[in-house]
Amino acid sequence: MTKNPRSGPASTEQLWAPNRKKSKQMELAVKILFGCFALVSVATTMGIVLVLIFETIEFFKEVPFWRFLTDTQWTPLFENPQFGIFVLMSATLLTSAIAVFVALPLGLLAAIYLSEYASPTLRKWLKPALEILAGVPSVVYGYFALLFITPMIQGILGDNLVRGFNALSAGLVLGISIIPLVASLSEDAIYAVPRSLREGAYGLGATKRETIVGVVLPAALSGIVASFIIAVSRAIGETMIVTIAAGQNPTLGLNPFVPIMTMTAYIVQASLGDTPAGSLAYKTVFSVGMTLFFTTLVLNIFSFWFVRKFREKYD
């Protein structure tokens, strides 16, 4: 009598047959877990936005919106308070503009070198070395600006012109801190341009510089602009560098040599003080935070629109 090779619990097919039911259960569990993580992120964002909205509404119940826009001083903690948000916005835009003038050209040139000129071995070492700057704590950058950059600028321009706390040193160091962001994202965008475009330009007789300027950079424009806008958003939201190096003197104007107070610096000042919860001074923190959130939101929306409109697609 011949034994059926398929019979018995230890048959080959049964040993190697996949457990589809268990795999489907595991797949469902992983999907639910990842969905929970996504919901936590969305819920956290919505919670932050709702808190800002509700507290800002409470602020504007006590302070008219037109006064928030037209007052020329920001003194919400004084006996006769004023709530001119443009005082803080002008300081924020000043330090951000200085940072942009430093970071954008240096970051873009570094990205071009890493992508187009550096050898693979050199690129493997230079890019991580550049990104180390992104890991330096902002407190260290702040004291570097206060104790090194400011005395150096005072030695060049004079103590009478440049104060101990000023927007110039804060903006310069802030620009240094966001160079890795611009360089890394721009380099990724440039490196992603297909090799065929470069070879086509070389075939038409273009030099390397002409190929970079006329072909590579326009092809990577959407990614480069996105890196610029992300860097600007990072500069606007920076806290410790401007708090330590720029001072906490709310001054309306664009003089880079005097102490100023940015929106983030005011939030730090009000949060560290003895501001009672529910008071008007407490609510100003949320009104300033809402202004900061709206500014970065507009920049991010513009970045999203620009990338979608000008993105180059290649086969």
Side-chain angles (χ1 to χ4, degrees):
M1 182 175 179
T2 305
K3 187 176 180 181
N4 187 358
R6 295 180 178 272
S7 64
S11 65
T12 305
E13 290 187 4
Q14 289 178 347
L15 286 174
W16 293 99
N19 191 342
R20 298 294 184 185
K21 184 177 180 180
K22 186 175 181 180
S23 298
K24 290 181 180 179
Q25 291 175 348
M26 183 63 68
E27 188 76 19
L28 179 61
V30 170
K31 186 184 296 185
I32 294 174
L33 180 64
F34 289 171
C36 291
F37 290 156
L39 288 176
V40 168
S41 302
V42 174
T44 302
T45 304
M46 291 300 299
I48 293 172
V49 173
L50 290 176
V51 168
L52 285 175
I53 291 175
F54 292 147
E55 294 294 341
T56 303
I57 291 174
E58 293 297 321
F59 170 79
F60 284 120
K61 287 180 180 179
E62 301 184 43
V63 178
F65 184 70
W66 63 267
R67 187 179 174 190
F68 188 67
L69 297 178
T70 57
D71 278 358
T72 58
Q73 292 183 341
W74 178 264
T75 55
L77 306 179
F78 288 13
E79 185 176 354
N80 297 317
Q82 295 193 48
F83 302 94
I85 189 60
F86 282 108
V87 176
L88 303 183
M89 289 188 67
S90 65
T92 301
L93 294 177
L94 177 59
T95 54
S96 300
I98 296 172
V100 164
F101 281 122
V102 172
L104 297 195
L106 293 180
L108 181 58
L109 291 175
I112 293 173
Y113 176 77
L114 289 173
S115 177
E116 302 300 315
Y117 290 100
S119 64
T121 303
L122 187 60
R123 179 177 180 270
K124 185 176 67 174
W125 287 98
L126 283 180
K127 189 171 182 181
L130 181 64
E131 292 175 348
I132 288 176
L133 290 174
V136 177
S138 58
V139 174
V140 175
Y141 277 122
Y143 281 106
F144 173 72
L146 180 64
L147 302 177
F148 181 78
I149 299 297
T150 296
M152 185 176 66
I153 297 175
Q154 287 177 329
I156 297 173
L157 301 178
D159 297 351
N160 295 329
L161 179 62
V162 181
R163 306 288 180 85
F165 296 99
N166 60 85
L168 181 58
S169 61
L172 292 175
V173 176
L174 180 57
I176 294 173
S177 70
I178 63 175
I179 285 177
L181 188 62
V182 177
S184 181
L185 295 178
S186 297
E187 193 271 340
D188 290 339
I190 294 171
Y191 196 75
V193 175
R195 184 69 185 172
S196 58
L197 293 183
R198 298 175 174 85
E199 293 173 351
Y202 293 146
L204 293 174
T207 63
K208 193 174 188 65
R209 179 189 60 82
E210 292 170 341
T211 301
I212 294 171
V213 174
V215 177
V216 176
L217 291 184
L221 180 63
S222 62
I224 293 173
V225 172
S227 72
F228 287 177
I229 296 176
I230 292 173
V232 172
S233 300
R234 167 74 172 81
I236 291 175
E238 173 55 41
T239 303
M240 294 311 300
I241 296 176
V242 294
T243 302
I244 294 172
Q248 297 185 1
N249 183 24
T251 305
L252 180 62
L254 299 176
N255 185 354
F257 304 123
V258 299
I260 58 172
M261 175 182 282
T262 63
M263 289 188 284
T264 53
Y266 171 74
I267 293 174
V268 171
Q269 182 195 48
S271 300
L272 294 179
D274 298 327
T275 306
S279 64
L280 181 58
Y282 172 81
K283 296 173 185 176
T284 58
V285 174
F286 294 94
S287 65
V288 174
M290 190 65 184
T291 305
L292 188 63
F293 172 79
F294 182 77
T295 304
T296 55
L297 177 64
V298 170
L299 288 174
N300 289 329
I301 291 174
F302 174 76
S303 174
F304 180 78
W305 169 83
F306 191 93
V307 170
R308 288 287 298 271
K309 184 174 180 63
F310 295 99
R311 175 182 294 171
E312 299 285 349
K313 296 182 179 180
Y314 305 101
D315 296 330

